[in-house]
Amino acid sequence: MSDLYFQDEVFEKEAFEAKDAAKGNEYDGCRFTNCDFSKTDLSNTLFSDCEFHSCDFSMAKFSKTAFRNALFRECKMLGVHFEDCSPFGMILRFEHCILHHASFFRVNLQQTRFENTSLIETDFTEANLSQACFENCDLKDAVFAATNLEKADLRSACHYRIDPVRNKIRKAKFSLEGVAGLLASFDVYVEP
């Protein structure tokens, strides 16, 4: 079952790995609720204007997967490699998600919104996060190396460590409490 087209459909509590139903298909304006995509091969699948609510994408394969205007709400996405996705038209938004050990290596995430999302040990190496917003996000042990964070908003984010020498942070917004995360690479102590 592949290369099928679905428009404005609702999928609830479906296990996509079990039936390998998603690979190569096109989903336009669809809504997925409580679906299990964990360890599913979503290669060459196109999701346009789709919403994912309480879905599990842990260890899913995204080879040439296209997410064009995708909203992920309360989704679990452990170990997902977004750099394998098709970059054409990629627009993502994350709300209340768990994105631990995910990778956005060299991904263009300009103006992406991460809201109330846990991004522990997520890799943003060489990613374009210009004008991105990390609202109430936990960035513990997230990797920022040669990352573009210009005009990004990290005022309510916590636990980040960003080396201002190795990353572009011009006009980025940080809270006073978050300044220690910018100075950590200099081995200095900021007293509260």
mmCIF file with all atom_site columns, all heavy atoms in Angstrom, residues 36-58:
data_model
loop_
_atom_site.group_PDB
_atom_site.id
_atom_site.type_symbol
_atom_site.label_atom_id
_atom_site.label_alt_id
_atom_site.label_comp_id
_atom_site.label_asym_id
_atom_site.label_entity_id
_atom_site.label_seq_id
_atom_site.pdbx_PDB_ins_code
_atom_site.Cartn_x
_atom_site.Cartn_y
_atom_site.Cartn_z
_atom_site.occupancy
_atom_site.B_iso_or_equiv
_atom_site.pdbx_formal_charge
_atom_site.auth_seq_id
_atom_site.auth_comp_id
_atom_site.auth_asym_id
_atom_site.auth_atom_id
_atom_site.pdbx_PDB_model_num
ATOM 1   N N   . ASP A 1 36 ? 0.656  6.150  16.047 1.00 0.00 ? 36 ASP A N   1
ATOM 2   C CA  . ASP A 1 36 ? 1.988  5.641  16.327 1.00 0.00 ? 36 ASP A CA  1
ATOM 3   C C   . ASP A 1 36 ? 2.785  5.526  15.029 1.00 0.00 ? 36 ASP A C   1
ATOM 4   O O   . ASP A 1 36 ? 2.529  4.655  14.204 1.00 0.00 ? 36 ASP A O   1
ATOM 5   C CB  . ASP A 1 36 ? 1.890  4.278  17.016 1.00 0.00 ? 36 ASP A CB  1
ATOM 6   C CG  . ASP A 1 36 ? 3.236  3.752  17.480 1.00 0.00 ? 36 ASP A CG  1
ATOM 7   O OD1 . ASP A 1 36 ? 4.260  4.443  17.286 1.00 0.00 ? 36 ASP A OD1 1
ATOM 8   O OD2 . ASP A 1 36 ? 3.268  2.635  18.034 1.00 0.00 ? 36 ASP A OD2 1
ATOM 9   N N   . PHE A 1 37 ? 3.768  6.443  14.878 1.00 0.00 ? 37 PHE A N   1
ATOM 10  C CA  . PHE A 1 37 ? 4.675  6.419  13.740 1.00 0.00 ? 37 PHE A CA  1
ATOM 11  C C   . PHE A 1 37 ? 6.063  5.938  14.176 1.00 0.00 ? 37 PHE A C   1
ATOM 12  O O   . PHE A 1 37 ? 7.007  6.006  13.404 1.00 0.00 ? 37 PHE A O   1
ATOM 13  C CB  . PHE A 1 37 ? 4.829  7.826  13.151 1.00 0.00 ? 37 PHE A CB  1
ATOM 14  C CG  . PHE A 1 37 ? 3.604  8.386  12.501 1.00 0.00 ? 37 PHE A CG  1
ATOM 15  C CD1 . PHE A 1 37 ? 2.752  9.230  13.204 1.00 0.00 ? 37 PHE A CD1 1
ATOM 16  C CD2 . PHE A 1 37 ? 3.301  8.105  11.176 1.00 0.00 ? 37 PHE A CD2 1
ATOM 17  C CE1 . PHE A 1 37 ? 1.627  9.773  12.599 1.00 0.00 ? 37 PHE A CE1 1
ATOM 18  C CE2 . PHE A 1 37 ? 2.181  8.641  10.564 1.00 0.00 ? 37 PHE A CE2 1
ATOM 19  C CZ  . PHE A 1 37 ? 1.345  9.478  11.275 1.00 0.00 ? 37 PHE A CZ  1
ATOM 20  N N   . SER A 1 38 ? 6.196  5.475  15.418 1.00 0.00 ? 38 SER A N   1
ATOM 21  C CA  . SER A 1 38 ? 7.516  5.109  15.931 1.00 0.00 ? 38 SER A CA  1
ATOM 22  C C   . SER A 1 38 ? 8.126  4.002  15.073 1.00 0.00 ? 38 SER A C   1
ATOM 23  O O   . SER A 1 38 ? 7.456  3.048  14.678 1.00 0.00 ? 38 SER A O   1
ATOM 24  C CB  . SER A 1 38 ? 7.438  4.675  17.394 1.00 0.00 ? 38 SER A CB  1
ATOM 25  O OG  . SER A 1 38 ? 6.620  3.537  17.545 1.00 0.00 ? 38 SER A OG  1
ATOM 26  N N   . LYS A 1 39 ? 9.401  4.196  14.742 1.00 0.00 ? 39 LYS A N   1
ATOM 27  C CA  . LYS A 1 39 ? 10.182 3.273  13.914 1.00 0.00 ? 39 LYS A CA  1
ATOM 28  C C   . LYS A 1 39 ? 9.594  3.068  12.526 1.00 0.00 ? 39 LYS A C   1
ATOM 29  O O   . LYS A 1 39 ? 9.940  2.119  11.823 1.00 0.00 ? 39 LYS A O   1
ATOM 30  C CB  . LYS A 1 39 ? 10.354 1.934  14.620 1.00 0.00 ? 39 LYS A CB  1
ATOM 31  C CG  . LYS A 1 39 ? 11.083 2.050  15.946 1.00 0.00 ? 39 LYS A CG  1
ATOM 32  C CD  . LYS A 1 39 ? 11.239 0.713  16.609 1.00 0.00 ? 39 LYS A CD  1
ATOM 33  C CE  . LYS A 1 39 ? 11.901 0.879  17.974 1.00 0.00 ? 39 LYS A CE  1
ATOM 34  N NZ  . LYS A 1 39 ? 11.944 -0.373 18.706 1.00 0.00 ? 39 LYS A NZ  1
ATOM 35  N N   . THR A 1 40 ? 8.698  3.937  12.108 1.00 0.00 ? 40 THR A N   1
ATOM 36  C CA  . THR A 1 40 ? 8.068  3.817  10.798 1.00 0.00 ? 40 THR A CA  1
ATOM 37  C C   . THR A 1 40 ? 8.938  4.463  9.736  1.00 0.00 ? 40 THR A C   1
ATOM 38  O O   . THR A 1 40 ? 9.505  5.525  9.944  1.00 0.00 ? 40 THR A O   1
ATOM 39  C CB  . THR A 1 40 ? 6.675  4.496  10.811 1.00 0.00 ? 40 THR A CB  1
ATOM 40  O OG1 . THR A 1 40 ? 5.876  3.866  11.806 1.00 0.00 ? 40 THR A OG1 1
ATOM 41  C CG2 . THR A 1 40 ? 5.973  4.364  9.466  1.00 0.00 ? 40 THR A CG2 1
ATOM 42  N N   . ASP A 1 41 ? 9.021  3.840  8.589  1.00 0.00 ? 41 ASP A N   1
ATOM 43  C CA  . ASP A 1 41 ? 9.753  4.406  7.456  1.00 0.00 ? 41 ASP A CA  1
ATOM 44  C C   . ASP A 1 41 ? 8.792  5.322  6.699  1.00 0.00 ? 41 ASP A C   1
ATOM 45  O O   . ASP A 1 41 ? 7.878  4.862  6.023  1.00 0.00 ? 41 ASP A O   1
ATOM 46  C CB  . ASP A 1 41 ? 10.262 3.287  6.548  1.00 0.00 ? 41 ASP A CB  1
ATOM 47  C CG  . ASP A 1 41 ? 11.169 3.801  5.443  1.00 0.00 ? 41 ASP A CG  1
ATOM 48  O OD1 . ASP A 1 41 ? 11.279 5.040  5.265  1.00 0.00 ? 41 ASP A OD1 1
ATOM 49  O OD2 . ASP A 1 41 ? 11.764 2.969  4.738  1.00 0.00 ? 41 ASP A OD2 1
ATOM 50  N N   . LEU A 1 42 ? 9.010  6.631  6.844  1.00 0.00 ? 42 LEU A N   1
ATOM 51  C CA  . LEU A 1 42 ? 8.158  7.624  6.178  1.00 0.00 ? 42 LEU A CA  1
ATOM 52  C C   . LEU A 1 42 ? 8.871  8.223  4.965  1.00 0.00 ? 42 LEU A C   1
ATOM 53  O O   . LEU A 1 42 ? 8.560  9.335  4.542  1.00 0.00 ? 42 LEU A O   1
ATOM 54  C CB  . LEU A 1 42 ? 7.783  8.732  7.172  1.00 0.00 ? 42 LEU A CB  1
ATOM 55  C CG  . LEU A 1 42 ? 6.918  8.289  8.352  1.00 0.00 ? 42 LEU A CG  1
ATOM 56  C CD1 . LEU A 1 42 ? 6.826  9.391  9.399  1.00 0.00 ? 42 LEU A CD1 1
ATOM 57  C CD2 . LEU A 1 42 ? 5.543  7.891  7.878  1.00 0.00 ? 42 LEU A CD2 1
ATOM 58  N N   . SER A 1 43 ? 9.801  7.490  4.411  1.00 0.00 ? 43 SER A N   1
ATOM 59  C CA  . SER A 1 43 ? 10.569 7.978  3.264  1.00 0.00 ? 43 SER A CA  1
ATOM 60  C C   . SER A 1 43 ? 9.657  8.381  2.116  1.00 0.00 ? 43 SER A C   1
ATOM 61  O O   . SER A 1 43 ? 8.666  7.701  1.822  1.00 0.00 ? 43 SER A O   1
ATOM 62  C CB  . SER A 1 43 ? 11.532 6.896  2.776  1.00 0.00 ? 43 SER A CB  1
ATOM 63  O OG  . SER A 1 43 ? 12.448 6.558  3.774  1.00 0.00 ? 43 SER A OG  1
ATOM 64  N N   . ASN A 1 44 ? 10.003 9.503  1.496  1.00 0.00 ? 44 ASN A N   1
ATOM 65  C CA  . ASN A 1 44 ? 9.298  10.013 0.317  1.00 0.00 ? 44 ASN A CA  1
ATOM 66  C C   . ASN A 1 44 ? 7.821  10.307 0.558  1.00 0.00 ? 44 ASN A C   1
ATOM 67  O O   . ASN A 1 44 ? 7.036  10.354 -0.390 1.00 0.00 ? 44 ASN A O   1
ATOM 68  C CB  . ASN A 1 44 ? 9.451  9.039  -0.862 1.00 0.00 ? 44 ASN A CB  1
ATOM 69  C CG  . ASN A 1 44 ? 10.895 8.848  -1.238 1.00 0.00 ? 44 ASN A CG  1
ATOM 70  O OD1 . ASN A 1 44 ? 11.594 9.811  -1.537 1.00 0.00 ? 44 ASN A OD1 1
ATOM 71  N ND2 . ASN A 1 44 ? 11.362 7.611  -1.183 1.00 0.00 ? 44 ASN A ND2 1
ATOM 72  N N   . THR A 1 45 ? 7.445  10.509 1.810  1.00 0.00 ? 45 THR A N   1
ATOM 73  C CA  . THR A 1 45 ? 6.061  10.835 2.142  1.00 0.00 ? 45 THR A CA  1
ATOM 74  C C   . THR A 1 45 ? 5.919  12.355 2.200  1.00 0.00 ? 45 THR A C   1
ATOM 75  O O   . THR A 1 45 ? 6.819  13.051 2.650  1.00 0.00 ? 45 THR A O   1
ATOM 76  C CB  . THR A 1 45 ? 5.672  10.214 3.498  1.00 0.00 ? 45 THR A CB  1
ATOM 77  O OG1 . THR A 1 45 ? 5.870  8.804  3.428  1.00 0.00 ? 45 THR A OG1 1
ATOM 78  C CG2 . THR A 1 45 ? 4.219  10.497 3.846  1.00 0.00 ? 45 THR A CG2 1
ATOM 79  N N   . LEU A 1 46 ? 4.791  12.862 1.722  1.00 0.00 ? 46 LEU A N   1
ATOM 80  C CA  . LEU A 1 46 ? 4.528  14.303 1.717  1.00 0.00 ? 46 LEU A CA  1
ATOM 81  C C   . LEU A 1 46 ? 3.365  14.606 2.654  1.00 0.00 ? 46 LEU A C   1
ATOM 82  O O   . LEU A 1 46 ? 2.275  14.037 2.513  1.00 0.00 ? 46 LEU A O   1
ATOM 83  C CB  . LEU A 1 46 ? 4.193  14.786 0.303  1.00 0.00 ? 46 LEU A CB  1
ATOM 84  C CG  . LEU A 1 46 ? 3.661  16.213 0.160  1.00 0.00 ? 46 LEU A CG  1
ATOM 85  C CD1 . LEU A 1 46 ? 4.677  17.234 0.649  1.00 0.00 ? 46 LEU A CD1 1
ATOM 86  C CD2 . LEU A 1 46 ? 3.283  16.495 -1.290 1.00 0.00 ? 46 LEU A CD2 1
ATOM 87  N N   . PHE A 1 47 ? 3.629  15.496 3.622  1.00 0.00 ? 47 PHE A N   1
ATOM 88  C CA  . PHE A 1 47 ? 2.597  15.985 4.533  1.00 0.00 ? 47 PHE A CA  1
ATOM 89  C C   . PHE A 1 47 ? 2.451  17.485 4.293  1.00 0.00 ? 47 PHE A C   1
ATOM 90  O O   . PHE A 1 47 ? 3.363  18.257 4.586  1.00 0.00 ? 47 PHE A O   1
ATOM 91  C CB  . PHE A 1 47 ? 2.986  15.738 5.994  1.00 0.00 ? 47 PHE A CB  1
ATOM 92  C CG  . PHE A 1 47 ? 3.115  14.295 6.377  1.00 0.00 ? 47 PHE A CG  1
ATOM 93  C CD1 . PHE A 1 47 ? 4.362  13.675 6.427  1.00 0.00 ? 47 PHE A CD1 1
ATOM 94  C CD2 . PHE A 1 47 ? 1.994  13.549 6.709  1.00 0.00 ? 47 PHE A CD2 1
ATOM 95  C CE1 . PHE A 1 47 ? 4.491  12.347 6.799  1.00 0.00 ? 47 PHE A CE1 1
ATOM 96  C CE2 . PHE A 1 47 ? 2.106  12.214 7.081  1.00 0.00 ? 47 PHE A CE2 1
ATOM 97  C CZ  . PHE A 1 47 ? 3.360  11.612 7.126  1.00 0.00 ? 47 PHE A CZ  1
ATOM 98  N N   . SER A 1 48 ? 1.330  17.917 3.745  1.00 0.00 ? 48 SER A N   1
ATOM 99  C CA  . SER A 1 48 ? 1.059  19.338 3.501  1.00 0.00 ? 48 SER A CA  1
ATOM 100 C C   . SER A 1 48 ? -0.089 19.785 4.380  1.00 0.00 ? 48 SER A C   1
ATOM 101 O O   . SER A 1 48 ? -1.150 19.154 4.391  1.00 0.00 ? 48 SER A O   1
ATOM 102 C CB  . SER A 1 48 ? 0.676  19.579 2.037  1.00 0.00 ? 48 SER A CB  1
ATOM 103 O OG  . SER A 1 48 ? 1.739  19.264 1.182  1.00 0.00 ? 48 SER A OG  1
ATOM 104 N N   . ASP A 1 49 ? 0.129  20.884 5.121  1.00 0.00 ? 49 ASP A N   1
ATOM 105 C CA  . ASP A 1 49 ? -0.915 21.454 5.985  1.00 0.00 ? 49 ASP A CA  1
ATOM 106 C C   . ASP A 1 49 ? -1.524 20.398 6.905  1.00 0.00 ? 49 ASP A C   1
ATOM 107 O O   . ASP A 1 49 ? -2.738 20.319 7.068  1.00 0.00 ? 49 ASP A O   1
ATOM 108 C CB  . ASP A 1 49 ? -2.002 22.125 5.147  1.00 0.00 ? 49 ASP A CB  1
ATOM 109 C CG  . ASP A 1 49 ? -1.467 23.288 4.332  1.00 0.00 ? 49 ASP A CG  1
ATOM 110 O OD1 . ASP A 1 49 ? -0.720 24.095 4.905  1.00 0.00 ? 49 ASP A OD1 1
ATOM 111 O OD2 . ASP A 1 49 ? -1.770 23.367 3.130  1.00 0.00 ? 49 ASP A OD2 1
ATOM 112 N N   . CYS A 1 50 ? -0.671 19.586 7.520  1.00 0.00 ? 50 CYS A N   1
ATOM 113 C CA  . CYS A 1 50 ? -1.136 18.522 8.414  1.00 0.00 ? 50 CYS A CA  1
ATOM 114 C C   . CYS A 1 50 ? -0.872 18.875 9.869  1.00 0.00 ? 50 CYS A C   1
ATOM 115 O O   . CYS A 1 50 ? 0.054  19.611 10.189 1.00 0.00 ? 50 CYS A O   1
ATOM 116 C CB  . CYS A 1 50 ? -0.438 17.208 8.076  1.00 0.00 ? 50 CYS A CB  1
ATOM 117 S SG  . CYS A 1 50 ? -0.960 16.505 6.498  1.00 0.00 ? 50 CYS A SG  1
ATOM 118 N N   . GLU A 1 51 ? -1.713 18.322 10.750 1.00 0.00 ? 51 GLU A N   1
ATOM 119 C CA  . GLU A 1 51 ? -1.558 18.494 12.188 1.00 0.00 ? 51 GLU A CA  1
ATOM 120 C C   . GLU A 1 51 ? -1.399 17.129 12.828 1.00 0.00 ? 51 GLU A C   1
ATOM 121 O O   . GLU A 1 51 ? -2.095 16.168 12.469 1.00 0.00 ? 51 GLU A O   1
ATOM 122 C CB  . GLU A 1 51 ? -2.779 19.196 12.788 1.00 0.00 ? 51 GLU A CB  1
ATOM 123 C CG  . GLU A 1 51 ? -2.936 20.632 12.343 1.00 0.00 ? 51 GLU A CG  1
ATOM 124 C CD  . GLU A 1 51 ? -4.067 21.348 13.054 1.00 0.00 ? 51 GLU A CD  1
ATOM 125 O OE1 . GLU A 1 51 ? -4.595 20.810 14.066 1.00 0.00 ? 51 GLU A OE1 1
ATOM 126 O OE2 . GLU A 1 51 ? -4.424 22.446 12.611 1.00 0.00 ? 51 GLU A OE2 1
ATOM 127 N N   . PHE A 1 52 ? -0.471 17.056 13.785 1.00 0.00 ? 52 PHE A N   1
ATOM 128 C CA  . PHE A 1 52 ? -0.200 15.825 14.509 1.00 0.00 ? 52 PHE A CA  1
ATOM 129 C C   . PHE A 1 52 ? -0.403 16.107 15.988 1.00 0.00 ? 52 PHE A C   1
ATOM 130 O O   . PHE A 1 52 ? 0.265  16.972 16.558 1.00 0.00 ? 52 PHE A O   1
ATOM 131 C CB  . PHE A 1 52 ? 1.237  15.363 14.241 1.00 0.00 ? 52 PHE A CB  1
ATOM 132 C CG  . PHE A 1 52 ? 1.539  15.140 12.791 1.00 0.00 ? 52 PHE A CG  1
ATOM 133 C CD1 . PHE A 1 52 ? 2.051  16.169 12.008 1.00 0.00 ? 52 PHE A CD1 1
ATOM 134 C CD2 . PHE A 1 52 ? 1.304  13.907 12.197 1.00 0.00 ? 52 PHE A CD2 1
ATOM 135 C CE1 . PHE A 1 52 ? 2.335  15.984 10.670 1.00 0.00 ? 52 PHE A CE1 1
ATOM 136 C CE2 . PHE A 1 52 ? 1.585  13.702 10.847 1.00 0.00 ? 52 PHE A CE2 1
ATOM 137 C CZ  . PHE A 1 52 ? 2.103  14.737 10.083 1.00 0.00 ? 52 PHE A CZ  1
ATOM 138 N N   . HIS A 1 53 ? -1.327 15.395 16.625 1.00 0.00 ? 53 HIS A N   1
ATOM 139 C CA  . HIS A 1 53 ? -1.648 15.601 18.034 1.00 0.00 ? 53 HIS A CA  1
ATOM 140 C C   . HIS A 1 53 ? -1.386 14.305 18.796 1.00 0.00 ? 53 HIS A C   1
ATOM 141 O O   . HIS A 1 53 ? -1.927 13.254 18.434 1.00 0.00 ? 53 HIS A O   1
ATOM 142 C CB  . HIS A 1 53 ? -3.111 16.014 18.215 1.00 0.00 ? 53 HIS A CB  1
ATOM 143 C CG  . HIS A 1 53 ? -3.443 17.301 17.531 1.00 0.00 ? 53 HIS A CG  1
ATOM 144 N ND1 . HIS A 1 53 ? -3.362 18.513 18.176 1.00 0.00 ? 53 HIS A ND1 1
ATOM 145 C CD2 . HIS A 1 53 ? -3.822 17.578 16.258 1.00 0.00 ? 53 HIS A CD2 1
ATOM 146 C CE1 . HIS A 1 53 ? -3.698 19.477 17.319 1.00 0.00 ? 53 HIS A CE1 1
ATOM 147 N NE2 . HIS A 1 53 ? -3.973 18.929 16.154 1.00 0.00 ? 53 HIS A NE2 1
ATOM 148 N N   . SER A 1 54 ? -0.538 14.394 19.813 1.00 0.00 ? 54 SER A N   1
ATOM 149 C CA  . SER A 1 54 ? -0.245 13.247 20.684 1.00 0.00 ? 54 SER A CA  1
ATOM 150 C C   . SER A 1 54 ? 0.219  12.024 19.900 1.00 0.00 ? 54 SER A C   1
ATOM 151 O O   . SER A 1 54 ? -0.164 10.893 20.199 1.00 0.00 ? 54 SER A O   1
ATOM 152 C CB  . SER A 1 54 ? -1.461 12.891 21.545 1.00 0.00 ? 54 SER A CB  1
ATOM 153 O OG  . SER A 1 54 ? -1.858 14.008 22.318 1.00 0.00 ? 54 SER A OG  1
ATOM 154 N N   . CYS A 1 55 ? 1.047  12.245 18.899 1.00 0.00 ? 55 CYS A N   1
ATOM 155 C CA  . CYS A 1 55 ? 1.577  11.153 18.083 1.00 0.00 ? 55 CYS A CA  1
ATOM 156 C C   . CYS A 1 55 ? 2.998  10.812 18.526 1.00 0.00 ? 55 CYS A C   1
ATOM 157 O O   . CYS A 1 55 ? 3.706  11.649 19.074 1.00 0.00 ? 55 CYS A O   1
ATOM 158 C CB  . CYS A 1 55 ? 1.585  11.534 16.603 1.00 0.00 ? 55 CYS A CB  1
ATOM 159 S SG  . CYS A 1 55 ? -0.069 11.771 15.902 1.00 0.00 ? 55 CYS A SG  1
ATOM 160 N N   . ASP A 1 56 ? 3.407  9.575  18.278 1.00 0.00 ? 56 ASP A N   1
ATOM 161 C CA  . ASP A 1 56 ? 4.752  9.120  18.612 1.00 0.00 ? 56 ASP A CA  1
ATOM 162 C C   . ASP A 1 56 ? 5.531  8.887  17.317 1.00 0.00 ? 56 ASP A C   1
ATOM 163 O O   . ASP A 1 56 ? 5.185  8.025  16.522 1.00 0.00 ? 56 ASP A O   1
ATOM 164 C CB  . ASP A 1 56 ? 4.678  7.831  19.428 1.00 0.00 ? 56 ASP A CB  1
ATOM 165 C CG  . ASP A 1 56 ? 6.038  7.377  19.947 1.00 0.00 ? 56 ASP A CG  1
ATOM 166 O OD1 . ASP A 1 56 ? 7.065  7.986  19.585 1.00 0.00 ? 56 ASP A OD1 1
ATOM 167 O OD2 . ASP A 1 56 ? 6.064  6.399  20.723 1.00 0.00 ? 56 ASP A OD2 1
ATOM 168 N N   . PHE A 1 57 ? 6.580  9.695  17.117 1.00 0.00 ? 57 PHE A N   1
ATOM 169 C CA  . PHE A 1 57 ? 7.451  9.575  15.949 1.00 0.00 ? 57 PHE A CA  1
ATOM 170 C C   . PHE A 1 57 ? 8.833  9.053  16.336 1.00 0.00 ? 57 PHE A C   1
ATOM 171 O O   . PHE A 1 57 ? 9.768  9.145  15.541 1.00 0.00 ? 57 PHE A O   1
ATOM 172 C CB  . PHE A 1 57 ? 7.643  10.949 15.286 1.00 0.00 ? 57 PHE A CB  1
ATOM 173 C CG  . PHE A 1 57 ? 6.479  11.422 14.479 1.00 0.00 ? 57 PHE A CG  1
ATOM 174 C CD1 . PHE A 1 57 ? 5.478  12.186 15.062 1.00 0.00 ? 57 PHE A CD1 1
ATOM 175 C CD2 . PHE A 1 57 ? 6.379  11.125 13.128 1.00 0.00 ? 57 PHE A CD2 1
ATOM 176 C CE1 . PHE A 1 57 ? 4.408  12.644 14.315 1.00 0.00 ? 57 PHE A CE1 1
ATOM 177 C CE2 . PHE A 1 57 ? 5.326  11.582 12.371 1.00 0.00 ? 57 PHE A CE2 1
ATOM 178 C CZ  . PHE A 1 57 ? 4.323  12.344 12.961 1.00 0.00 ? 57 PHE A CZ  1
ATOM 179 N N   . SER A 1 58 ? 8.994  8.515  17.513 1.00 0.00 ? 58 SER A N   1
ATOM 180 C CA  . SER A 1 58 ? 10.311 8.110  17.989 1.00 0.00 ? 58 SER A CA  1
ATOM 181 C C   . SER A 1 58 ? 10.981 7.148  17.016 1.00 0.00 ? 58 SER A C   1
ATOM 182 O O   . SER A 1 58 ? 10.401 6.147  16.598 1.00 0.00 ? 58 SER A O   1
ATOM 183 C CB  . SER A 1 58 ? 10.199 7.460  19.365 1.00 0.00 ? 58 SER A CB  1
ATOM 184 O OG  . SER A 1 58 ? 9.693  8.399  20.289 1.00 0.00 ? 58 SER A OG  1
#
